[in-house]
Each structure stands twice: as structure tokens, then as C-alpha cells.
Amino acid sequence: MAAKANNLPDSEVVPSAVREVTSILRAAHDIHPTHPRIAYLCVCGAAEECLSADPFLRGNGVLLFAFRLKRWTETNDETLGDGKLRPSDVRDIQSFYLEYYQKNIHALFKFIEDYRHFEGWGPAPMPLWPTPMDGFKALRTLSVRADRAELLTYACGIALPLYKVVEHLSKDEQLPPEILEAHNEVKRLAEIFRPYMIYPSDPYSDDHFIWRIPEIRAVKNALRGKFYPSSNTQGDNNSENTEIIGNNPADTPVGINWRPMIEIISLLLISFFVICLFQLLMF
């Protein structure tokens, strides 16, 4: 996100040697409208992350970039004006992280697990702290679980760099166990809810609107392995991991796991079909 009127450093102009700083600055831009002091602390954490990623500042453009971050923290401190952290800043950033986790991640994931559909509700602008019914107004029937899964994917993308800021600013003291537990849960959910280009891959977005397209749904169902025989001629052998080549049991390879290959082929075919469909709609 480019720097706007909030005067925050540009998150998209970062040297490649310290590209980890980009996610922290993006989080600062998102948090700044409601919590400017926390956004300032994120920039301080970005400066620390820059030194951690390249301690000797030898990367291309890293020295100038680190100097600009340090200069920004000194000239944009709205409290003491000297760019130094207050004694309460560590406590504030830790409290904010726990609050963000509880309201933006834990509540959303609980909502996704407890509810599947709300009939007759559609999307609306989301606040920073979404509660289960925030962001919905009477509009049309919508698959709510997929919509909340996208919000959870976005929230995990903010919480992960926010934890780095907590780590850097709390380096002189031990982190509370509740923060460590929250971070472990965020990492676990970030592995499930990942950003996607065409269609989501998490198990909670099975009601995503793209699966309503009959052709895509037919391809998905056809490539789930339903073309395998329902029973195996070998009796109790596991037919799920065995492909029947012929009627002769000697021709049947046992123990070959075809599932990863089938999943890769299915994803490629669905992606190809979606691209073709979009191309047809453009003309």
C-alpha cells in the first residue's frame, strides 16, 4: 500500500534484501485509521526487523531504507517527539495483539465452525473489529461461511507481522503465555486459510460462489476419484490407493498413492476452465 495522507512509509518500496518489512508496513497502514499509535509502533518494529534481516545493512538500498525508517520514527512521534518508546508501549502493543486475535481471528473462526448459511443476507463494509453479524445487511442470499473465510485469511495476514512487532518491542522481557498461544493458533489457521488467485482451497469455503458454476462443479466432482471402481477384485485390499488396470489381479499395482497426482491435475484443469470461461465472457 502506497503512503497516503497518513504519512506512513511506503510499504511497496522496500529493498528485496529486507522484503519481510513489507508485511509489517502493510499492517501499519491498515491499523493507522483507528489506532495511529499502534501503527507508529509497527513502523518501529519494521525498523527493528530491517536490522534483524540485514544486520550489516549490506543489501542493495538497505542502508538508505533503514535510515529513512529511523528518521521517520524520530520526526513522527506524536508523544515525546524524540522517537523513543514509552514504558507503556510494550504493554499497549501486547494488549492490541490479543484484542486483534480475539475479535478478528478467534471470533471469526468460531463463527465459521458454528454456522454455515444465513439466508437473505449479503456483504456490507466491514469494521476493524468484526463481530459475527457485522458486515451483513439484507440484500440477497449469500454463502456466509466462504465470505468469513476470506476475512479470516486477511486477518491472519495482519496478525502474523503484528506478532513480529510484538517480538521486537518485547525483546527485553518474556512474552506472556497467552500471546504465544494466540500466535500458535494464528500460524495454524494461516496454513488453512491461504490467499488464492481463482478459488479457495480451504475446507471451509465449499460454499464459495465459484463452486456454483455448474461446469466447475462438474469438473470438481469428476476429478474427486469417482471414476475409480467402487470395489476391488482383491477383496479387502484398499481400493482407494489402487488403480485397476485390467481384470487380472497381477496387473494391479498395490500401494500406489494416486491422490496427490489427481489433486494436482484437478486443480490445473479447473484453473484452465476458469480462465477459458473468463476469456469467453470478455468477448
Side-chain angles (χ1 to χ4, degrees), residues 45-98:
E48 294 291 334
E49 179 68 19
C50 183
L51 294 177
S52 176
D54 191 357
F56 299 102
L57 305 178
R58 294 178 178 177
N60 186 19
V62 175
L63 179 60
L64 180 59
F65 179 74
F67 173 79
R68 289 177 176 176
L69 284 182
K70 185 62 176 178
R71 181 62 177 169
W72 188 93
T73 58
E74 295 175 353
T75 57
N76 290 272
D77 189 356
E78 300 175 356
T79 55
L80 300 179
D82 56 358
K84 297 181 180 180
L85 298 180
R86 298 180 299 178
S88 61
D89 283 336
V90 175
R91 183 176 65 253
D92 292 342
I93 191 68
Q94 291 180 358
S95 300
F96 179 83
Y97 177 81
L98 288 177

Side-chain angles (χ1 to χ4, degrees), residues 92-111:
D92 292 342
I93 191 68
Q94 291 180 358
S95 300
F96 179 83
Y97 177 81
L98 288 177
E99 186 179 8
Y100 190 91
Y101 166 75
Q102 290 293 336
K103 294 185 177 181
N104 279 28
I105 297 178
H106 178 73
L108 277 177
F109 185 65
K110 186 177 184 300
F111 177 84

